[in-house]
Amino acid sequence: MIIGSNLLFFENLPSTNTHAADLLKKSNLQEGTIIYTNYQSAGRGYSGNRWESEDGKNLLISIVLFPSFINPSDQFLISMTISLGICDFLMRFITDCSIKWPNDIYVNNDKIAGILIESTVTSDQIEYTIAGIGLNINQEKFLGNAPNPVSLQLLSGLNYDLALCLSKLRIDLDKRYKQLIAGNSRMIKEEYISRLYRLNKWCKFRDIKGIYTGKILAVGDYGRINIEKQNGEINEYSFKEIEFIL
Ligand code: BTN
């Protein structure tokens, strides 16, 4: 086992991703180390957003990886791998989930998990990656301003054992990371695309020019999304250049 070979638990932390980065500066962490906590006082989401999570209700983890075998220009493969591992975990409990590009995990139209991947690249090599995951398990009320949060408990009415969830999640993430190490990146990319939220469905997007109806065709190089307009034009966007209208 690589992912989860070493587990470091902290009752509370400002942020598991920040703590993982601090530990990496001071010590040698083994690849696959998981830093996890019950509560984050300054949990971070992407674009500088906060990640809200009630004390002791959800999985808040950061995984330390050394994916030096991945070219920095292909680093979106790490996001794809982690997204698929979370989907595999969720499919143990529910019938379906999808990946809202670039890496939100959705059930129907609601977000159940967020991923914050932070990599350090030196001399054309990924030195380390911290893959932070916030996965909503038992939380029933969300007080922050996240638009559409959901948890496993809200979906099923059941309460879940967090320790058991973590042990299953690490198995599913480990399996996917080993596929990446084994060079199965084409398969990972294909599976990721097949799981995309709103793949091949006409729906509304907003880009710099305004709102339009389009359909997601694929995710190409550098993790850019390809969206077809109704006039047949195909546009490619990086993160932040396009917004889903939910
Ligand atoms: C997002 O959807 O905005 C990404 C959310 C990522 C949240 C997780 S919780 C564990 C790890 N530590 C953090 O501070 N953030 C990530």
Side-chain angles (χ1 to χ4, degrees), residues 17 47 57 59 137 201 231:
N17 267 36
S47 300
K57 296 278 180 171
L59 289 179
I137 305 285
K201 291 192 181 114
N231 64 6

Side-chain angles (χ1 to χ4, degrees), residues 3 15-17 34-37 40 44-45 51 53 58-65 78-79 81-87 89-90 103 105 112-118 130-137 166 169-170 172-174:
I3 293 189
S15 150
T16 55
N17 267 36
I34 292 183
I35 287 129
Y36 67 112
T37 190
Q40 296 183 129
R44 295 190 287 115
W51 183 255
S53 178
N58 303 314
L59 289 179
L60 301 166
I61 77 172
S62 294
I63 308 158
V64 174
L65 299 171
I78 302 165
S79 273
T81 305
I82 299 291
S83 299
L84 288 174
I86 298 172
C87 287
F89 165 80
L90 287 170
N103 48 23
I105 310 299
I112 194 163
I115 303 168
L116 181 65
I117 306 266
E118 297 180 301
I130 297 168
I133 301 171
L135 175 51
N136 299 331
I137 305 285
L166 178 59
L169 178 64
R170 63 199 256 218
D172 295 331
L173 290 167
D174 189 59

